[in-house]
């Protein structure tokens, strides 16, 4: 379970990073300098936008429950229009309409971007909470196992001491007591020591 949750968390964080990279490339395209790098910025934007959606699609495909899948599908339903609006901003900037590009990117898409970040943060917080709960449960199991191991070791030690005592009394002390008694009888003049 911990690995499943960690993979989901990593995927969401990657999607957030890729969306941030897409936004950065959008800013670079709107600035328009250096002109020689505009094609690179546009290619990086396209790759980051695709990576964002691919990250989310992988998480959805690997979901173990419909509830888990739906939470990420909700984020994807927000991310796709955000990326579409940013792509429109890029197109406006590349066509020389910087004012329209800024309006689309910073005003028109602002609500969707805020919704994306809120949904993403809520899902990340939930995954972190679930990971912490699993960590605490595992820690409780380890503590319980340690307690059982200590109790078992103490009980085993006590059984060993009792067994060693029984061996000493029945296997060593009694035969020696009988030998000493026989020798004392012999010393006292008894000829039959059986």
């Amino acid at each position: 379970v911990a690995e499943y949750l960690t993979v989901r968390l990593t995927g969401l964080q990657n999607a957030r990073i890729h969306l941030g990279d897409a936004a950065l490339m959008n800013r670079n395209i709107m600035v328009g300098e250096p002109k020689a790098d505009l094609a690179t910025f546009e290619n990086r934007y396209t790759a980051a936008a695709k990576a964002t959606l691919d990250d989310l699609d992988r998480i959805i495909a690997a979901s173990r429950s419909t509830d888990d899948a739906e939470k990420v599908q909700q984020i994807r339903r927000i991310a796709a229009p955000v990326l579409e609006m940013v792509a429109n901003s890029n197109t406006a900037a590349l066509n020389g309409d910087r004012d329209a590009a800024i309006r689309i990117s910073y005003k028109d898409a602002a609500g969707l971007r805020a919704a994306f970040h809120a949904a993403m943060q809520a899902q990340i917080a939930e995954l972190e909470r679930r990971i912490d709960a699993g960590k605490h449960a595992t820690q409780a199991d380890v503590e319980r196992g340690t307690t059982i191991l200590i109790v078992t070791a103490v009980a085993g030690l006590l059984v060993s001491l009792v067994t060693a005592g029984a061996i000493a009394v029945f296997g060593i002390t009694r035969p020696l007591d009988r030998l000493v008694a026989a020798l004392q009888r012999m010393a006292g003049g008894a000829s039959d020591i059986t």
Side-chain angles (χ1 to χ4, degrees):
V1 173
E3 183 180 345
Y4 167 74
L5 296 175
T6 303
V7 167
R8 291 178 68 77
L9 180 61
T10 302
L12 288 174
Q13 290 169 335
N14 287 341
R16 185 164 55 179
I17 289 167
H18 288 126
L19 188 71
D21 192 36
L24 180 63
M25 292 305 106
N26 172 245
R27 186 202 61 82
N28 290 345
I29 290 169
M30 286 189 294
V31 169
E33 295 293 331
K35 296 239 185 258
D37 290 340
L38 287 177
T40 301
F41 297 151
E42 190 174 14
N43 289 338
R44 279 189 61 190
Y45 167 80
T46 302
K50 181 179 181 331
T52 300
L53 297 176
D54 287 348
D55 289 336
L56 296 172
D57 288 339
R58 273 191 295 278
I59 298 167
I60 292 165
S63 294
R64 292 183 180 172
S65 73
T66 55
D67 185 49
D68 283 350
E70 177 54 36
K71 289 174 184 172
V72 179
Q73 284 172 344
Q74 176 188 2
I75 294 169
R76 193 190 189 293
R77 283 192 293 270
I78 298 168
V82 167
L83 292 167
E84 185 178 328
M85 290 183 92
V86 174
N88 292 340
S89 171
N90 289 344
T91 301
L94 290 169
N95 289 332
D97 194 351
R98 189 167 181 253
D99 291 337
I102 291 170
R103 179 184 47 75
I104 293 168
S105 187
Y106 292 110
K107 292 181 183 170
D108 298 349
L112 281 173
R113 269 198 326 271
F116 172 83
H117 289 298
M120 181 70 79
Q121 191 54 43
Q123 183 61 21
I124 287 172
E126 179 187 335
L127 288 171
E128 287 172 343
R129 181 193 55 75
R130 288 170 64 184
I131 289 169
D132 281 346
K135 183 172 80 173
H136 291 303
T138 301
Q139 188 174 8
D141 287 345
V142 167
E143 289 172 2
R144 199 170 19 260
T146 301
T147 302
I148 290 170
L149 182 63
I150 290 170
V151 167
T152 304
V154 168
L157 182 61
L158 289 174
V159 167
S160 296
L161 289 174
V162 168
T163 303
I167 289 171
V169 168
F170 295 110
I172 298 171
T173 306
R174 280 192 180 169
L176 282 177
D177 284 345
R178 284 188 293 231
L179 179 61
V180 168
L183 289 174
Q184 285 174 346
R185 285 193 306 270
M186 278 177 61
S191 61
D192 186 22
I193 56 167
T194 56

